[in-house]
Amino acid sequence: HVQLVESGGGSVQTGGTLRLSCTASGFAIDRNDLGWYRQGPGNGCELISSISSAGEVYYEDSVKGRFSISQERANNTVTLQMNSLKPEDTAMYYCAADLAKFGLAQKSPDCRLPHYRGQGTQVTVSS
């Protein structure tokens, strides 16, 4: 049974940090590509970071230098370390796994992604 469970969201002030976790079950994270998406108020859903089965990482321009994605293989968990948070980072964050090997979608109108996806964790950054 494939399942993804996100945790670690919360409310912080500008400049704060949060560490999101995505714990997977039913498959191995080091054999699949996983990504973090977010959907902010009034915005579509976009891929902001991903890590491939080979460990290659991707960051969307707005989070480069501030966010860092990594695998914790012992816990079958992918984490997203978020530093220097800004109000515009406020969003629901989702992790998704590309088990079909079609490639992670870059964008989606509403985070109804063609991948296995968790329920999301809310991040709120106040100014």
Side-chain angles (χ1 to χ4, degrees):
H1 175 65
V2 173
Q3 190 174 22
L4 296 163
V5 178
E6 301 97 335
S7 61
S11 297
V12 297
Q13 293 188 326
T14 297
T17 65
L18 285 171
R19 185 177 179 85
L20 305 185
S21 294
C22 172
T23 299
S25 57
F27 69 96
I29 62 167
D30 59 352
R31 296 180 184 178
N32 295 277
D33 298 353
L34 277 87
W36 283 97
Y37 294 80
R38 70 182 179 188
Q39 183 169 26
N43 295 333
C45 183
E46 62 178 346
L47 178 67
I48 59 165
S49 184
S50 66
I51 185 164
S52 74
S53 57
E56 298 168 331
V57 299
Y58 159 82
Y59 299 102
E60 193 272 332
D61 285 347
S62 68
V63 306
K64 279 182 182 176
R66 300 189 298 125
F67 291 10
S68 177
I69 192 169
S70 62
Q71 296 173 340
E72 295 181 358
R73 296 183 179 185
N75 299 321
N76 212 37
T77 295
V78 173
T79 63
L80 185 69
Q81 177 69 39
M82 306 190 298
N83 300 327
S84 303
L85 283 162
K86 305 175 181 180
E88 50 264 43
D89 294 318
T90 294
M92 183 69 81
Y93 285 70
Y94 302 91
C95 73
D98 178 29
L99 303 189
K101 313 292 186 185
F102 288 156
L104 289 167
Q106 288 293 314
K107 294 184 179 182
S108 164
D110 55 7
C111 280
R112 291 185 181 181
L113 300 163
H115 313 303
Y116 285 95
R117 194 207 76 183
Q119 292 301 305
T121 186
Q122 177 67 37
V123 171
T124 303
V125 185
S126 59
S127 58

